[in-house]
Amino acid sequence: MPVLNDILAERLERVEKSAQRRELTVQEHESGPYVTRGGVRYLHFSGNDYLGLRTHPAVVRAALDATEATGAGSGASRLVTGNHPYYPALEEALAEAKHTQAALVFGSGYLANSGTIAALMGEGDLILADRLIHACMLDGVRLSGAALKRFAHNDTAHLAALLAEHREKYTNCLILTESVFSMDGDRAPLADIHALAQVHDAWFMVDDAHGLGFVETIPADIVSGTLSKALGSYGGYVAGSGVLRDYLINHARSLIFSTGLPPAAVASAHAALMIMQAEPERAQSVIAKATRVSEALGLGMAQGPIIPYIVGESGAALEASRKLAAEGIWVQAIRPPTVPPATARLRITMTATHTDEEVECLIQALGKQAI
Ligand SMILES: *Cc1c(COP(=O)(O)O)cnc(C)c1O
C-alpha cells in the first residue's frame, strides 16, 4: 500500500519537525523508582504509581491468587459472563472510599470517562469543561454530540459567565473538571464549582484520576477515576448514585461492548485500595517530598504528587530531559498536544518509594543543569 504509507510518512515528518514525534521505548521496572531503558538504569520521577503499590507484595499476591483461582481473563463482557465476584467487592469499597451510594468499574479510566459522558449527554445539551481536562473526557464530549464550551483553567468567574450566558439555551448541562490536574498538578476549586452547578441547574463531574489518596472529599454528582495510578493496577471507575450506576450499565457503550477486566486487575486494585486506606502516611510522604522539590524550584507548596516544570518549546523540554538523563535521572518531557502550545515541560512525579536522598539527587541535578 505505497500511497497509504507515503501519506503517513509525510505526516510523521511534520510531527518530527515540530519536535513532537513520539516513540515507544521498552522499560524494565523494579520495585523501587528505578527503570532501565535502552540498557541504562535510571532513577525515575515519571510514573503514576504514586503510593508505590504497583509492586507491593500483598497487591501482587492478590493478582496471582485471583488468576490462579479464576484464570487470566474474564471471558466476556460484564453483562454476559464476565462479571466475576472481584467486581462487586471492589465497587463497594470504591463507593465507600468516595462517599457515594455506588460505583461501577470500567475497562480503563479512558473508557469510564468517555463512555459516561457520551451516555449522559446528547444533542441540545451543553458541556462546560476546564481548558485543561484530559483527552478522554473530550473524546466523550465528541461522542455525545453535545455543545462544548471551555472555561479558562480553574477560572470560576469565567465559568459563571458562560453559565449565565448560555445555560438557558440548552436542555441539560454538565460541568467537567479534574480534582488534581494530570499535567499541572494543581487542584480545581471544587466547592465553588459545585455551588455554581447547583445555582445553574447543571450536573458536575470530576475526574479524580490523580486525586485518589490525596483529595478527601469531592462535592460532585459524578466522580470518575482510574485503578492504574495510585492503585497500581489497571481499570477505571465511576462513583455516584445507585441510579447513575444502573443507567450506565444500560447506556455506557464502553462498558457494554467491551470485555470485563482480568480478575487479577480487579482483585489487585482492591488490595491496593485497602492498603491506601490503612496507610495514609504513604500519601503524606508523597506530599512532603513534592513540596520539598516544588519549593526548591521556586514553585511553592505542592498540591499533589505532580510538579510541572514548564520549559516552553518542545525541543527545549526534550533537551532538559536529556540533560537529566545524562545524570542518571529520568523525567519525561511532556509536549503538545498533550499540553497547550509553548508549555512543554518536565512532568515530575513523586512517589512513596523515593527516599529523601533520591529527592535531593533530583534537586541537585535540576539545579546543576540550570534548566
Ligand atoms: C490517566 C488518566 C485517565 C485515563 O485513565 P486510564 O485508566 O489510564 O485509561 C483519565 N483521566 C486522567 C486525568 C488521567 O490522567
Side-chain angles (χ1 to χ4, degrees):
M1 298 239 287
V3 176
L4 171 65
N5 286 338
D6 288 351
I7 291 173
L8 300 187
E10 191 191 296
R11 290 183 193 167
L12 278 171
E13 221 165 275
R14 259 179 271 151
V15 178
E16 174 88 45
K17 277 201 187 113
S18 54
Q20 288 176 8
R21 183 170 175 139
R22 286 143 158 86
E23 282 172 359
L24 287 176
T25 308
V26 171
Q27 39 242 311
E28 290 162 62
H29 277 278
E30 300 169 27
S31 54
Y34 286 87
V35 70
T36 301
R37 305 167 60 97
V40 184
R41 185 170 179 262
Y42 298 98
L43 166 63
H44 85 83
F45 295 85
S46 264
N48 298 323
D49 177 22
Y50 304 126
L51 303 180
L53 295 175
R54 190 182 62 83
T55 50
H56 189 289
V59 174
V60 174
R61 186 74 254 159
L64 292 172
D65 287 349
T67 302
E68 274 172 9
T70 61
S74 71
S77 162
R78 292 190 64 183
L79 275 70
V80 184
T81 53
N83 196 37
H84 47 72
Y86 300 101
Y87 271 120
L90 173 61
E91 287 173 342
E92 279 163 34
L94 281 170
E96 205 182 303
K98 297 278 115 195
H99 315 291
T100 55
Q101 274 179 357
L104 182 65
V105 170
F106 284 70
S108 70
Y110 190 109
L111 294 172
N113 274 325
S114 57
T116 297
I117 295 166
L120 291 175
M121 307 305 282
E123 274 176 38
D125 292 337
L126 173 65
I127 296 175
L128 296 168
D130 187 286
R131 171 78 50 200
L132 297 185
I133 59 161
H134 194 264
C136 66
M137 287 202 270
L138 289 175
D139 289 352
V141 173
R142 287 197 193 110
L143 283 169
S144 77
L148 170 68
K149 296 192 188 298
R150 307 184 74 172
F151 54 94
H153 179 51
N154 281 347
D155 187 340
T156 46
H158 189 205
L159 172 61
L162 288 174
L163 281 163
E165 188 178 348
H166 300 290
R167 171 67 188 95
E168 286 198 344
K169 294 179 255 172
Y170 295 89
T171 313
N172 299 308
C173 179
L174 176 68
I175 301 171
L176 299 175
T177 193
E178 295 181 19
S179 56
V180 173
F181 278 83
S182 62
M183 296 298 144
D184 290 72
D186 56 344
R187 297 189 183 200
L190 296 177
D192 293 347
I193 297 178
H194 183 237
L196 275 175
Q198 292 196 313
V199 169
H200 291 275
D201 187 24
W203 305 328
F204 185 29
M205 174 167 173
V206 177
D207 182 350
D208 190 39
H210 298 274
L212 186 67
F214 298 98
V215 178
E216 186 39 39
T217 47
I218 296 182
D221 302 293
I222 305 163
V223 179
S224 62
T226 179
L227 309 179
S228 69
K229 287 164 183 157
L231 297 183
S233 177
Y234 192 74
Y237 68 89
V238 169
S241 68
V243 176
L244 173 73
R245 183 176 188 276
D246 291 345
Y247 179 87
L248 292 174
I249 290 169
N250 286 275
H251 288 91
R253 296 170 63 85
S254 62
L255 178 93
I256 299 167
F257 298 108
S258 191
T259 298
L261 282 165
V266 181
S268 55
H270 192 179
L273 182 61
M274 309 300 281
I275 297 168
M276 182 194 99
Q277 290 174 321
E279 301 176 6
E281 61 274 16
R282 283 177 181 270
Q284 286 155 10
S285 89
V286 174
I287 295 291
K289 286 174 244 183
T291 295
R292 169 84 184 98
V293 174
S294 199
E295 284 175 348
L297 292 174
L299 300 173
M301 168 115 183
Q303 299 182 51
I306 305 156
I307 304 155
Y309 196 52
I310 296 179
V311 177
E313 295 309 317
S314 295
L318 286 176
E319 182 56 24
S321 175
R322 266 187 230 116
K323 281 185 183 170
L324 285 178
E327 301 274 322
I329 294 177
W330 190 264
V331 180
Q332 188 79 27
I334 307 284
R335 296 163 285 164
T338 305
V339 291
T343 68
R345 68 198 64 188
L346 296 177
R347 175 182 182 265
I348 303 167
T349 54
M350 308 306 299
T351 72
T353 55
H354 287 109
T355 65
D356 289 342
E357 292 71 37
E358 288 163 344
V359 173
E360 293 311 314
C361 224
L362 171 70
I363 292 170
Q364 272 197 3
L366 283 166
K368 197 152 91 191
Q369 302 297 334
I371 289 160

Short mmCIF file of all heavy atoms in Angstrom, two decimals, residues 48 50 106-114 132-137 177-183 207-211 224-229 233-237 306 347, ligand 1:
data_model
loop_
_atom_site.label_atom_id
_atom_site.label_comp_id
_atom_site.label_asym_id
_atom_site.label_seq_id
_atom_site.Cartn_x
_atom_site.Cartn_y
_atom_site.Cartn_z
N ASN A 48 3.10 7.08 37.54
CA ASN A 48 1.89 7.47 38.26
C ASN A 48 1.60 6.52 39.42
O ASN A 48 0.53 6.55 40.00
CB ASN A 48 0.70 7.49 37.32
CG ASN A 48 0.88 8.51 36.20
OD1 ASN A 48 1.44 9.58 36.44
ND2 ASN A 48 0.44 8.16 35.01
N TYR A 50 1.96 6.50 42.42
CA TYR A 50 2.31 7.47 43.47
C TYR A 50 2.55 6.84 44.84
O TYR A 50 3.40 7.27 45.59
CB TYR A 50 1.20 8.52 43.60
CG TYR A 50 0.90 9.24 42.32
CD1 TYR A 50 -0.39 9.30 41.81
CD2 TYR A 50 1.92 9.86 41.60
CE1 TYR A 50 -0.67 9.96 40.62
CE2 TYR A 50 1.65 10.52 40.41
CZ TYR A 50 0.35 10.56 39.93
OH TYR A 50 0.08 11.20 38.75
N PHE A 106 -15.08 0.16 35.05
CA PHE A 106 -14.96 0.07 33.59
C PHE A 106 -13.60 -0.55 33.23
O PHE A 106 -12.75 -0.74 34.09
CB PHE A 106 -15.02 1.48 32.97
CG PHE A 106 -16.39 2.10 32.91
CD1 PHE A 106 -17.04 2.51 34.08
CD2 PHE A 106 -17.03 2.30 31.69
CE1 PHE A 106 -18.29 3.11 34.02
CE2 PHE A 106 -18.28 2.90 31.62
CZ PHE A 106 -18.92 3.30 32.79
N GLY A 107 -13.39 -0.74 31.92
CA GLY A 107 -12.15 -1.33 31.45
C GLY A 107 -10.92 -0.47 31.67
O GLY A 107 -9.80 -0.97 31.80
N SER A 108 -11.09 0.85 31.71
CA SER A 108 -9.98 1.78 31.98
C SER A 108 -10.59 3.12 32.36
O SER A 108 -11.80 3.35 32.20
CB SER A 108 -9.08 1.93 30.75
OG SER A 108 -9.77 2.65 29.74
N GLY A 109 -9.74 4.03 32.81
CA GLY A 109 -10.21 5.38 33.08
C GLY A 109 -10.68 6.06 31.80
O GLY A 109 -11.67 6.79 31.79
N TYR A 110 -9.99 5.78 30.73
CA TYR A 110 -10.37 6.32 29.43
C TYR A 110 -11.79 5.88 29.07
O TYR A 110 -12.64 6.68 28.65
CB TYR A 110 -9.37 5.84 28.37
CG TYR A 110 -9.51 6.51 27.03
CD1 TYR A 110 -8.55 7.41 26.59
CD2 TYR A 110 -10.59 6.24 26.20
CE1 TYR A 110 -8.68 8.03 25.36
CE2 TYR A 110 -10.73 6.85 24.98
CZ TYR A 110 -9.78 7.75 24.55
OH TYR A 110 -9.91 8.36 23.35
N LEU A 111 -12.05 4.60 29.23
CA LEU A 111 -13.38 4.08 28.89
C LEU A 111 -14.45 4.57 29.86
O LEU A 111 -15.60 4.79 29.47
CB LEU A 111 -13.34 2.55 28.88
CG LEU A 111 -12.46 1.93 27.78
CD1 LEU A 111 -12.32 0.42 27.99
CD2 LEU A 111 -13.05 2.22 26.41
N ALA A 112 -14.09 4.76 31.12
CA ALA A 112 -15.05 5.25 32.11
C ALA A 112 -15.48 6.68 31.77
O ALA A 112 -16.67 7.00 31.73
CB ALA A 112 -14.44 5.21 33.51
N ASN A 113 -14.51 7.54 31.49
CA ASN A 113 -14.83 8.94 31.20
C ASN A 113 -15.54 9.09 29.87
O ASN A 113 -16.58 9.74 29.79
CB ASN A 113 -13.53 9.77 31.18
CG ASN A 113 -13.14 10.24 32.56
OD1 ASN A 113 -13.99 10.53 33.40
ND2 ASN A 113 -11.86 10.31 32.81
N SER A 114 -14.97 8.51 28.82
CA SER A 114 -15.56 8.72 27.50
C SER A 114 -16.95 8.08 27.44
O SER A 114 -17.90 8.68 26.93
CB SER A 114 -14.66 8.19 26.39
OG SER A 114 -14.37 6.82 26.60
N LEU A 132 -8.14 22.55 30.58
CA LEU A 132 -7.07 21.54 30.67
C LEU A 132 -7.55 20.11 30.94
O LEU A 132 -6.74 19.26 31.30
CB LEU A 132 -6.06 21.95 31.75
CG LEU A 132 -5.29 23.26 31.52
CD1 LEU A 132 -4.24 23.46 32.61
CD2 LEU A 132 -4.62 23.28 30.15
N ILE A 133 -8.83 19.84 30.77
CA ILE A 133 -9.26 18.46 31.08
C ILE A 133 -8.63 17.44 30.13
O ILE A 133 -8.27 17.75 29.01
CB ILE A 133 -10.80 18.27 31.09
CG1 ILE A 133 -11.40 18.64 29.75
CG2 ILE A 133 -11.43 18.95 32.28
CD1 ILE A 133 -12.78 18.06 29.55
N HIS A 134 -8.58 16.23 30.63
CA HIS A 134 -7.93 15.11 29.94
C HIS A 134 -8.61 14.77 28.60
O HIS A 134 -9.83 14.89 28.47
CB HIS A 134 -7.97 13.89 30.86
CG HIS A 134 -7.07 12.77 30.45
ND1 HIS A 134 -7.52 11.69 29.71
CD2 HIS A 134 -5.76 12.55 30.69
CE1 HIS A 134 -6.52 10.86 29.51
NE2 HIS A 134 -5.44 11.35 30.09
N ALA A 135 -7.81 14.30 27.66
CA ALA A 135 -8.29 13.97 26.32
C ALA A 135 -9.46 13.00 26.33
O ALA A 135 -10.36 13.09 25.49
CB ALA A 135 -7.14 13.37 25.51
N CYS A 136 -9.50 12.07 27.29
CA CYS A 136 -10.57 11.05 27.24
C CYS A 136 -11.93 11.65 27.58
O CYS A 136 -12.96 11.15 27.14
CB CYS A 136 -10.24 9.83 28.09
SG CYS A 136 -10.17 10.12 29.85
N MET A 137 -11.94 12.73 28.37
CA MET A 137 -13.23 13.40 28.62
C MET A 137 -13.66 14.14 27.36
O MET A 137 -14.85 14.15 27.00
CB MET A 137 -13.11 14.36 29.80
CG MET A 137 -13.03 13.62 31.13
SD MET A 137 -13.50 14.64 32.52
CE MET A 137 -11.93 15.31 32.91
N THR A 177 -14.37 18.82 35.28
CA THR A 177 -13.04 19.25 35.68
C THR A 177 -12.29 18.06 36.30
O THR A 177 -12.79 16.94 36.31
CB THR A 177 -13.08 20.46 36.64
OG1 THR A 177 -11.76 21.00 36.74
CG2 THR A 177 -13.56 20.08 38.03
N GLU A 178 -11.08 18.32 36.78
CA GLU A 178 -10.29 17.26 37.44
C GLU A 178 -10.00 17.69 38.87
O GLU A 178 -9.89 18.88 39.15
CB GLU A 178 -8.95 17.05 36.69
CG GLU A 178 -9.16 16.53 35.28
CD GLU A 178 -7.86 16.29 34.51
OE1 GLU A 178 -6.78 16.20 35.14
OE2 GLU A 178 -7.93 16.21 33.28
N SER A 179 -9.85 16.73 39.77
CA SER A 179 -9.56 17.07 41.17
C SER A 179 -8.12 17.59 41.27
O SER A 179 -7.87 18.69 41.77
CB SER A 179 -9.79 15.87 42.08
OG SER A 179 -9.01 14.77 41.65
N VAL A 180 -7.18 16.78 40.79
CA VAL A 180 -5.78 17.18 40.67
C VAL A 180 -5.44 17.07 39.19
O VAL A 180 -5.61 16.01 38.59
CB VAL A 180 -4.85 16.25 41.50
CG1 VAL A 180 -3.38 16.58 41.22
CG2 VAL A 180 -5.16 16.37 42.99
N PHE A 181 -4.98 18.15 38.58
CA PHE A 181 -4.76 18.15 37.13
C PHE A 181 -3.53 17.33 36.74
O PHE A 181 -2.48 17.45 37.36
CB PHE A 181 -4.69 19.57 36.59
CG PHE A 181 -6.06 20.15 36.39
CD1 PHE A 181 -6.75 20.70 37.45
CD2 PHE A 181 -6.69 20.06 35.16
CE1 PHE A 181 -8.04 21.18 37.29
CE2 PHE A 181 -7.98 20.54 34.98
CZ PHE A 181 -8.66 21.10 36.05
N SER A 182 -3.71 16.52 35.70
CA SER A 182 -2.72 15.49 35.37
C SER A 182 -1.37 16.06 34.96
O SER A 182 -0.33 15.46 35.25
CB SER A 182 -3.25 14.59 34.26
OG SER A 182 -3.48 15.32 33.08
N MET A 183 -1.34 17.18 34.28
CA MET A 183 -0.08 17.72 33.76
C MET A 183 0.37 18.97 34.50
O MET A 183 1.47 19.46 34.30
CB MET A 183 -0.22 18.03 32.26
CG MET A 183 -0.48 16.81 31.41
SD MET A 183 0.88 15.63 31.51
CE MET A 183 -0.02 14.09 31.44
N ASP A 207 -13.04 14.27 37.41
CA ASP A 207 -12.12 13.17 37.15
C ASP A 207 -11.05 13.20 38.26
O ASP A 207 -10.26 14.13 38.36
CB ASP A 207 -11.47 13.36 35.77
CG ASP A 207 -10.53 12.22 35.41
OD1 ASP A 207 -10.22 11.39 36.30
OD2 ASP A 207 -10.09 12.16 34.25
N ASP A 208 -11.08 12.14 39.06
CA ASP A 208 -10.20 12.06 40.24
C ASP A 208 -9.00 11.14 39.97
O ASP A 208 -8.42 10.58 40.91
CB ASP A 208 -11.04 11.54 41.42
CG ASP A 208 -10.32 11.64 42.75
OD1 ASP A 208 -9.62 12.64 42.98
OD2 ASP A 208 -10.46 10.70 43.57
N ALA A 209 -8.61 11.01 38.69
CA ALA A 209 -7.55 10.07 38.33
C ALA A 209 -6.27 10.29 39.16
O ALA A 209 -5.61 9.33 39.56
CB ALA A 209 -7.22 10.18 36.84
N HIS A 210 -5.93 11.57 39.41
CA HIS A 210 -4.68 11.85 40.13
C HIS A 210 -4.92 12.30 41.57
O HIS A 210 -3.98 12.65 42.27
CB HIS A 210 -3.87 12.91 39.39
CG HIS A 210 -3.48 12.47 38.02
ND1 HIS A 210 -2.34 11.73 37.78
CD2 HIS A 210 -4.10 12.60 36.83
CE1 HIS A 210 -2.28 11.44 36.49
NE2 HIS A 210 -3.33 11.96 35.89
N GLY A 211 -6.19 12.29 41.99
CA GLY A 211 -6.50 12.77 43.34
C GLY A 211 -6.69 11.66 44.36
O GLY A 211 -6.62 11.90 45.58
N SER A 224 -15.16 10.25 38.60
CA SER A 224 -14.55 9.16 37.84
C SER A 224 -13.10 9.01 38.27
O SER A 224 -12.55 9.90 38.93
CB SER A 224 -14.64 9.44 36.34
OG SER A 224 -13.90 10.61 36.05
N GLY A 225 -12.51 7.89 37.92
CA GLY A 225 -11.13 7.69 38.29
C GLY A 225 -10.54 6.48 37.62
O GLY A 225 -11.17 5.87 36.73
N THR A 226 -9.34 6.15 38.02
CA THR A 226 -8.63 5.03 37.41
C THR A 226 -8.07 4.12 38.48
O THR A 226 -7.81 4.55 39.60
CB THR A 226 -7.49 5.55 36.51
OG1 THR A 226 -6.80 4.43 35.94
CG2 THR A 226 -6.49 6.39 37.28
N LEU A 227 -7.91 2.86 38.12
CA LEU A 227 -7.27 1.90 39.03
C LEU A 227 -5.78 1.80 38.72
O LEU A 227 -5.06 1.02 39.32
CB LEU A 227 -7.92 0.51 38.85
CG LEU A 227 -9.45 0.44 38.91
CD1 LEU A 227 -9.93 -1.00 38.69
CD2 LEU A 227 -9.97 0.98 40.23
N SER A 228 -5.34 2.61 37.74
CA SER A 228 -3.99 2.40 37.19
C SER A 228 -2.93 3.34 37.74
O SER A 228 -1.76 3.21 37.41
CB SER A 228 -4.04 2.56 35.67
OG SER A 228 -4.29 3.91 35.34
N LYS A 229 -3.33 4.32 38.55
CA LYS A 229 -2.33 5.25 39.06
C LYS A 229 -2.03 4.94 40.52
O LYS A 229 -1.26 4.02 40.77
CB LYS A 229 -2.80 6.69 38.77
CG LYS A 229 -2.64 6.93 37.27
CD LYS A 229 -3.34 8.08 36.67
CE LYS A 229 -3.09 8.07 35.16
NZ LYS A 229 -4.08 8.76 34.39
N SER A 233 -2.79 -0.74 39.48
CA SER A 233 -3.30 -1.88 38.72
C SER A 233 -3.75 -1.40 37.34
O SER A 233 -3.01 -0.66 36.67
CB SER A 233 -4.45 -2.52 39.50
OG SER A 233 -5.02 -3.57 38.77
N TYR A 234 -4.93 -1.82 36.91
CA TYR A 234 -5.47 -1.36 35.63
C TYR A 234 -6.99 -1.39 35.68
O TYR A 234 -7.58 -2.31 36.25
CB TYR A 234 -4.96 -2.24 34.46
CG TYR A 234 -5.29 -1.60 33.14
CD1 TYR A 234 -4.58 -0.49 32.71
CD2 TYR A 234 -6.34 -2.07 32.36
CE1 TYR A 234 -4.91 0.14 31.52
CE2 TYR A 234 -6.67 -1.45 31.17
CZ TYR A 234 -5.95 -0.34 30.75
OH TYR A 234 -6.27 0.29 29.59
N GLY A 235 -7.62 -0.41 35.06
CA GLY A 235 -9.08 -0.32 35.05
C GLY A 235 -9.51 1.09 35.40
O GLY A 235 -8.68 1.94 35.72
N GLY A 236 -10.82 1.36 35.31
CA GLY A 236 -11.33 2.68 35.66
C GLY A 236 -12.64 2.53 36.41
O GLY A 236 -13.17 1.43 36.53
N TYR A 237 -13.18 3.65 36.90
CA TYR A 237 -14.46 3.55 37.60
C TYR A 237 -15.20 4.87 37.57
O TYR A 237 -14.62 5.94 37.32
CB TYR A 237 -14.26 3.10 39.06
CG TYR A 237 -13.56 4.14 39.90
CD1 TYR A 237 -14.28 5.11 40.59
CD2 TYR A 237 -12.17 4.17 39.98
CE1 TYR A 237 -13.65 6.08 41.34
CE2 TYR A 237 -11.52 5.13 40.73
CZ TYR A 237 -12.27 6.09 41.42
OH TYR A 237 -11.62 7.05 42.14
N ILE A 306 2.26 15.73 41.62
CA ILE A 306 2.78 16.13 40.30
C ILE A 306 3.35 17.54 40.36
O ILE A 306 2.69 18.47 40.83
CB ILE A 306 1.64 16.10 39.26
CG1 ILE A 306 0.98 14.72 39.23
CG2 ILE A 306 2.15 16.52 37.88
CD1 ILE A 306 -0.44 14.74 38.70
N ARG A 347 7.44 16.83 33.50
CA ARG A 347 6.39 16.49 34.48
C ARG A 347 7.05 15.59 35.51
O ARG A 347 7.33 14.42 35.24
CB ARG A 347 5.23 15.79 33.79
CG ARG A 347 4.15 15.30 34.76
CD ARG A 347 3.05 14.57 33.99
NE ARG A 347 1.96 14.12 34.84
CZ ARG A 347 1.87 12.89 35.35
NH1 ARG A 347 2.83 12.01 35.13
NH2 ARG A 347 0.83 12.54 36.08
C1 LIG B 1 -4.65 8.60 33.05
C2 LIG B 1 -5.85 9.43 33.03
C3 LIG B 1 -7.07 8.92 32.59
C4 LIG B 1 -7.18 7.58 31.94
O1 LIG B 1 -7.07 6.54 32.83
P1 LIG B 1 -6.57 5.11 32.28
O2 LIG B 1 -7.04 4.16 33.33
O3 LIG B 1 -5.09 5.19 32.16
O4 LIG B 1 -7.24 4.89 30.97
C5 LIG B 1 -8.19 9.70 32.73
N1 LIG B 1 -8.12 10.95 33.23
C6 LIG B 1 -6.97 11.49 33.62
C7 LIG B 1 -6.95 12.86 34.17
C8 LIG B 1 -5.80 10.76 33.52
O5 LIG B 1 -4.63 11.30 33.87
#
